[in-house]
Amino acid sequence: QIVSSGPDNLRDDEIRDAFIQMIILARERVIIQTPYFIPDPAFRAALKIAAHSGVEVQIMMPGVADHQVVYLASHSYLEELLEYGIKLYHYRGFLHAKMVVIDGAIASIGTTNIDNRSFALNFEINAFLYNRDLARRCEEIFEEDLTRSYPLEEEWFRSRPLWWKGAASVTRLLSPLL
């Protein structure tokens, strides 16, 4: 299924809504790879509900930033997700993959980042794959990428310098524009 979204449809954010529905319906595992992670409140709530329901939620982002402001803002959201048992990873290098996989059964690959620009301002297109073999292959790719990643844990966030924490908080204020 091909789904597109963009500023020409001000009524709905089809791709964002599909992602949220997929996350809410997950029973076992949610995998997300994205270069930019600035989720809106509904997306964050879906992730937290999934984690509270016993669903394993894993998010992978690049360990090397191409846009420092977006990178800092992203981490202000990631830190709060740790409290819910969500597993976070930095890929060693830049990661431009944009993939969501649910329960090894449904996968979405496309141009959409997990941010407001992708969800509402940019023209985006994603393929939603309702095929277990393809979804499992996407999980295998994620697992391969995990071998080139490291986990972000509370200690990683605690060890950040004070200026970094302040900058992340300030850039979060810009999130609706990022």
Side-chain angles (χ1 to χ4, degrees):
Q1 177 184 22
I2 302 299
V3 179
S4 63
S5 66
D8 59 336
N9 185 356
L10 300 176
R11 193 170 42 93
D12 293 313
D13 298 328
E14 289 91 353
I15 296 173
R16 184 201 74 143
D17 293 348
F19 285 167
I20 290 172
Q21 183 177 14
M22 289 166 56
I23 292 166
I24 289 171
L25 293 175
R27 295 293 168 248
E28 297 171 16
R29 188 177 188 200
V30 173
I31 294 172
I32 298 172
Q33 283 185 308
T34 183
Y36 312 118
F37 185 79
I38 302 178
D40 65 12
F43 197 94
R44 288 193 316 273
L47 291 172
K48 292 172 184 179
I49 290 167
H52 270 305
S53 300
V55 174
E56 179 183 21
V57 180
Q58 297 176 286
I59 301 170
M60 184 183 296
M61 290 184 46
V64 174
D66 66 335
H67 297 289
Q68 195 64 38
V69 171
V70 176
Y71 187 76
L72 287 166
S74 293
H75 285 79
S76 72
Y77 292 101
L78 291 174
E79 186 173 9
E80 79 180 62
L81 296 178
L82 277 176
E83 298 171 21
Y84 295 86
I86 293 172
K87 296 176 183 174
L88 308 172
Y89 302 94
H90 264 172
Y91 183 81
R92 295 184 193 277
F94 186 69
L95 175 79
H96 207 257
K98 299 164 186 167
M99 179 171 70
V100 177
V101 184
I102 306 297
D103 295 338
I106 302 169
S108 178
I109 301 170
T111 63
T112 307
N113 298 300
I114 308 300
D115 64 16
N116 291 323
R117 294 190 70 77
S118 277
F119 289 154
L121 301 175
N122 295 343
F123 289 99
E124 304 288 1
I125 189 165
N126 274 49
F128 287 80
L129 311 167
Y130 304 95
N131 179 293
R132 287 193 179 278
D133 291 336
L134 291 174
R136 285 193 187 114
R137 178 61 188 129
C138 290
E139 284 185 326
E140 290 170 5
I141 292 168
F142 182 86
E143 296 294 333
E144 290 170 22
D145 289 342
L146 275 178
T147 67
R148 293 180 289 281
S149 302
Y150 57 92
L152 295 182
E153 296 168 338
E154 288 181 35
E155 180 57 34
W156 187 89
F157 287 99
R158 277 197 302 269
S159 69
R160 301 289 91 202
L162 187 57
W163 70 264
W164 193 92
K165 294 175 184 178
S169 295
V170 169
T171 57
R172 185 173 176 144
L173 296 172
L174 302 173
S175 292
L177 305 173
L178 301 176

